[in-house]
Amino acid sequence: MANLQDIGVSATINLLSALAFLVAFALLRLQPINDRVYFPKWYLKGIRGSPRRSGHVHNFVNLDLNMYIRFLNWMPAALKMPEPELIEHAGLDSAVFVRIYLLGLKIFVPVTFLAFAVLVPVNWTGDTLEHAKGLTYSDIDKLSISNIPAASKRFWAHIVMFYVFSFWTYYVLYKEYKLIASMRLRFLAAQKRRPDQFTVLLRNVPLDPDESISKHIEHFFFVNHPDHYLTHQLVYNANYLAKLVEKKKGLQNWLVYYENKYERSPTQRPTTKTGLWGLWGTKVDAIEYYSTELEKLSKEEDKEREKVVSDPDALIPAAFVSFKTRWAAAVCAQTQQSSNPTIWLTEWAPEPRDIFWDNLAIPYVKLALRKLIMAVALFFLTFCFMIPIAFVQSLANIEGIEKVFPFLKPIIEKKVIKSVIQGFLPGIALKIFLILLPRILMAMSQIEGFTSLSALDRRTAEKYHLFILVNVFFGSVVTGTAFQQLQKFLNEPSTEFTKTVGDSIPMKATFFITYIMVDGWAGIAAEILRLVPLVMFHLKNAFLVKTDQDRDQAMDPGCLDFPVSEPRIQLYILLGLVYSVVTPILLPFILVFFAFSYLVYRHQIINVYNQKYESGAAFWPHVHRRVIIGLMIAQLLLMGLFSMREAEQSSACLVALPIFTLWVHKFCQGRFESAFVKFPLQDAMVKDTLEKATEPNLDLKAYLKDAYVHPVFKDSSLEQITFIDDDEESNSLVPTKRTSRRSSKFPSEDNSESDA
Amino acid sequence: MANLQDIGVSATINLLSALAFLVAFALLRLQPINDRVYFPKWYLKGIRGSPRRSGHVHNFVNLDLNMYIRFLNWMPAALKMPEPELIEHAGLDSAVFVRIYLLGLKIFVPVTFLAFAVLVPVNWTGDTLEHAKGLTYSDIDKLSISNIPAASKRFWAHIVMFYVFSFWTYYVLYKEYKLIASMRLRFLAAQKRRPDQFTVLLRNVPLDPDESISKHIEHFFFVNHPDHYLTHQLVYNANYLAKLVEKKKGLQNWLVYYENKYERSPTQRPTTKTGLWGLWGTKVDAIEYYSTELEKLSKEEDKEREKVVSDPDALIPAAFVSFKTRWAAAVCAQTQQSSNPTIWLTEWAPEPRDIFWDNLAIPYVKLALRKLIMAVALFFLTFCFMIPIAFVQSLANIEGIEKVFPFLKPIIEKKVIKSVIQGFLPGIALKIFLILLPRILMAMSQIEGFTSLSALDRRTAEKYHLFILVNVFFGSVVTGTAFQQLQKFLNEPSTEFTKTVGDSIPMKATFFITYIMVDGWAGIAAEILRLVPLVMFHLKNAFLVKTDQDRDQAMDPGCLDFPVSEPRIQLYILLGLVYSVVTPILLPFILVFFAFSYLVYRHQIINVYNQKYESGAAFWPHVHRRVIIGLMIAQLLLMGLFSMREAEQSSACLVALPIFTLWVHKFCQGRFESAFVKFPLQDAMVKDTLEKATEPNLDLKAYLKDAYVHPVFKDSSLEQITFIDDDEESNSLVPTKRTSRRSSKFPSEDNSESDA
């Protein structure tokens, strides 16, 4: 086991490497040429313009030495922006996300102080390890609970402190949940008029043989929400069209690339090959080839576009139904429409940009089946992911490759290459899997049928959290694969399992300290350097950019990677809670992680990230729940630990804690969760009334007209397209009742408003 | 272990005793004097009149011999009534309750046939027990899975059959859930106008220093449901008043008793003593004494009544808010009103008679605390109930009594009394506890804060089910107290636990067969005889009845004892599922129980029970869930059983079943549960529209005026009482906006209706 000195060395190395990243960042960010990599947010906001006015060197490299001296001044700058401004600037999602790090600090700063003031002296004077013979131990162990003799009365100090820590965590969690719930409500109340406030996502519209989908929806809502229904927007199955648009964009990029190339060296027309990736096939003139390809694709796209908007089969039995008031939309989103709960499903419409269009048309039975299959798949992925990787690893050795590709034999047999293959390939298989894992999990969430990107992110984070918990935390504490752990868990008494795990916890402290430094500290420092976007931007800049607009598109501000980052935070919170009484020396490392991350992410959300959606911190209930899970795990493991140290009484004293944790969870859930799920009628009414007073002549229908159009239709000029819906509106076969209603609607708009 | 013959004898005895009950019932029910005990429902419906026109003997004893010959003809009569008529006659709750027995039959009739056709031959020819030496076994064991040698291929028959049984159960459960959901929706749709259709129970009204509760509610709903709010009814804390009324009724009974006595023997005025139970204290003239007491109490009651309706402190921060349409009530019940989810809580109002008035005013934090405490209490009650009973038992022996009451020594030491004490007292303590248990559980549910009797019943059933499951099922299979089981469960591997339990299941078959006969068969036969109500009725009839009205009050029709009966059915379903493949010989006994119970309860709900409320089969999701739990337990135990018989492969084949069961549960829940929880807007709108067409001039406000008045106020003439609420209505300080609204409401009623 490592001693304090080893840890010190390791910490120094990691600190230095983190510092190197930071210095690199500080230097790179001062170069104007990198401005769009490190400050894209400001460009997107239109506040920063392009610096490249002339070809002067000042515009590429910063020569002002004064700025280099203050190279760390981004840190106070990141902290300077007050929170309300931050919410205004970056959105509530981002502002609340960095609060998770703050939550970590709030929990662990007092815990660290208390642990060092009380538990470290208690442990240090435990005197067990010094008197034990034949045991090798380190200074760290002397500071940990291992130094307390079995059945000692000193354990009471740990019990009491753990109670204090637990209750402090409850308190912080409760306060934070309350604050964020009120922040969310204030945020929603302060929001400007947005289409999703008036709109409900309607799914599983039953098919009617006599009526079109549009008619059917209209009739249903005219009957069941007579005073409130305003309009609706149908959803087209434009998945193939979206694919074409995507493909066209790629071809466009190539065309621009070759045109640029030709511009720079006009003597030689660039050529390409027609086969895969331009590597095989006949050689052709590149610009000509891509021009014709683009033309072909444009034609196909137009045809497809026409087909989608005119073919009734391209309609999905889903729609965005809009109401005259926010009150009515809130009512419709929260109530059940039909006695059959699998049709006419209504829920709050996500923001237009938040919608995951592919999943809007899944019937109920299919959805239930998909969820079952994905649950089973997740189980196998979590517990058995090592099996296919081991299989790939067994294939990816020298002999395997020689067998499959015998012609590669002479190359492989060379010494350098051989050692590379033998050294790296097995590791690479695992590394590739771990890099791909978030995407795999995201794909699984997509199959489950969520309809918004934010829900997908939350769901993926849940899956990733499970994976980390099983494979990183338990996988490190209990040696062996996750599947072996599962077997152990099933075949051992449940108390025995917590005991073995609890017992091995103190021994793993040094491992986790190193893990925190490598994964946490260095990872965060790498995050701020943004190496991949940096390289990508300069590549694009060199080959694809012609106009300022192109340069804007070449920027990749990225966004918060919630599904990956949040579960990682949860792991550190769990580690902190578990080791708070076992090995308090671990706590400062976690504190450094939280403080540093808070700084970095605050800087990033101010200067870099551009969120794809704004869910209004809808993820907080998940964050809260996972901290509760972590607390629960810590409590159970400590019970196991104490009963292994023959402190059965003290272990029994801890029984109340998990029950209390569960209760705190239920309590907070009942108290605050609805703020994240429902929209209270009172607030809706306030906003409605206010709006009516300030803008009595608002034409809401015009405002909502194209809010929920599939993005591929937004790109093109919308005026040219006549949607089916509009065709019908002018249809003379509309029943009389509806026409009279329709004709009287516009003059009576004021009436209905004065009613409300 | 018992063999087939023993079981046969036991079955005969139980059948005979059940038959004796039935004959007694058949004879007693034909006597006109018992008519009100066995057919109270018809009296309450006003269809049967009092038979006692003259003092003729025919009115007391039935002398028509023909009727005695057909003494079992109540059985076909019970089955004759078709279901729609039954729903009309006894309500949906009762009709669906007897369908639980039908569900049992539907599941187990095919299962029994298949088990006897396939598994019994397979077991019988297993030949293990015959060749085993030194083992005593019975014929029953030869028919059970015990007769199959370890690791035999014959287990595949059991696996396959268990899959068939499970899927058949899923199918029946799905079908039944679907049917009952549609029955419920049809029932609700067909209901006449009822106050609860328009009304929402509002709880946790925040207190406002400037406004009274009534005003505050009115303002809130005028603002947030402007087009729909109609009126509201405040709730008074009349718990003390209700107690007084109850006490008065008791005194009245005594007065009548003594008056009757005096009438019969006018020579001697009856006397009573003023102390406890009329046993101690000064002797007084009874009629005079009770008259003055009654007068005093009446005065106190009037004072309290006045105090309640005039004292603002007697108002509870809860109310019944009524709307103009069912649509609006459905909207308000399903939505969240305020951004703080612990105030302005709305839910569907229960029927007026279904309300549990004591619980209407519990704030959120208290409710959460009460739930926590009750959960802990339930845990201890379930697992540690033997501890206090053992303590009482240890006290209730001869020495204990002699110690506490030394003066009783000479009496106790007598031989007869001694043996009675020693033989009965310990058993009596347990018996008393078991009799009191449903009441204890009900009291616990009341503390948890449910607001309707139906919800209390459902919750109590849940608790009782847990108790039965742990103490009857697992307590019989695993010997030892529940607490010992729990320890075992915690200290053994979870797989090990299912293995031990699974292994001991075949051995307990004969015990459960006896249990089914004694508890099931005889219990049901006793149910139909109604011994306690029979005796009580005749006692009351002899001493208290003067008029026909009195006689009506002396009837005690009772009602379905859902919290006790339903968990018992669940136990039998669980037994059937577990033993379906283990010891199929048990199945016919369960079939007899279900068929017989179906008959008896159908007779009882037609002729006897008078339900206290009508929840529209709201309990079905609970029934469904508990069958699912039973199925899950059976599946896990069978996995344990098979792995004990060295049939690990077959055991592994069963892993999919619990997952699938869980999925079926989720699927059915998503598909049908909302029919029991929510009220779809479409259906509300249909009813509203229909009503508007048929009764355009309905004065809904007058109709709802006193619908939700506390029952103690209903007894007295309501006209005399002026409620605070009415006072306020005429208050001139009402803000102008409201008054104008109010004044314009009545003429504009038609307007708002034509809008909808």
Side-chain angles (χ1 to χ4, degrees), chain B residues 601-639:
Chain B
Y601 275 103
R602 214 164 196 274
H603 173 264
Q604 299 291 82
I605 64 169
I606 291 174
N607 296 310
V608 183
Y609 297 146
N610 180 37
Q611 290 303 96
K612 278 183 291 187
Y613 58 80
E614 172 62 55
S615 71
F619 55 78
W620 193 262
H622 294 251
V623 174
H624 177 87
R625 197 183 61 235
R626 288 199 271 273
V627 176
I628 290 280
I629 291 172
L631 196 54
M632 207 108 163
I633 291 176
Q635 287 163 348
L636 291 175
L637 291 185
L638 276 181
M639 277 168 66

Side-chain angles (χ1 to χ4, degrees), chain A residues 167-270:
Chain A
F167 276 84
W168 171 249
T169 311
Y170 299 149
Y171 175 75
V172 173
L173 277 177
Y174 172 81
K175 277 278 176 201
E176 196 71 15
Y177 210 154
K178 190 174 179 177
L179 180 76
I180 284 167
S182 76
M183 273 167 79
R184 177 182 160 91
L185 288 172
R186 229 179 310 131
F187 179 75
L188 293 180
Q191 260 176 344
K192 295 215 191 74
R193 181 168 55 243
R194 285 184 3 174
D196 49 305
Q197 291 165 347
F198 298 92
T199 307
V200 155
L201 169 56
L202 171 72
R203 290 203 290 163
N204 295 12
V205 179
L207 293 179
D208 191 309
D210 302 328
E211 280 184 318
S212 71
I213 291 177
S214 176
K215 280 267 186 62
H216 199 184
I217 293 172
E218 204 169 62
H219 286 172
F220 185 85
F221 282 93
F222 263 134
V223 169
N224 292 306
H225 294 266
D227 302 331
H228 310 291
Y229 169 73
L230 182 65
T231 178
H232 69 268
Q233 177 89 50
L234 292 171
V235 180
Y236 296 88
N237 185 354
N239 294 344
Y240 181 63
L241 184 59
K243 220 179 275 171
L244 286 182
V245 170
E246 199 57 32
K247 201 173 160 194
K248 195 174 153 191
K249 228 179 241 168
L251 289 180
Q252 199 99 42
N253 274 346
W254 280 113
L255 182 63
V256 171
Y257 166 72
Y258 284 115
E259 278 173 357
N260 282 358
K261 206 173 171 188
Y262 184 57
E263 237 169 65
R264 274 167 222 167
S265 54
T267 50
Q268 193 191 357
R269 271 189 86 83

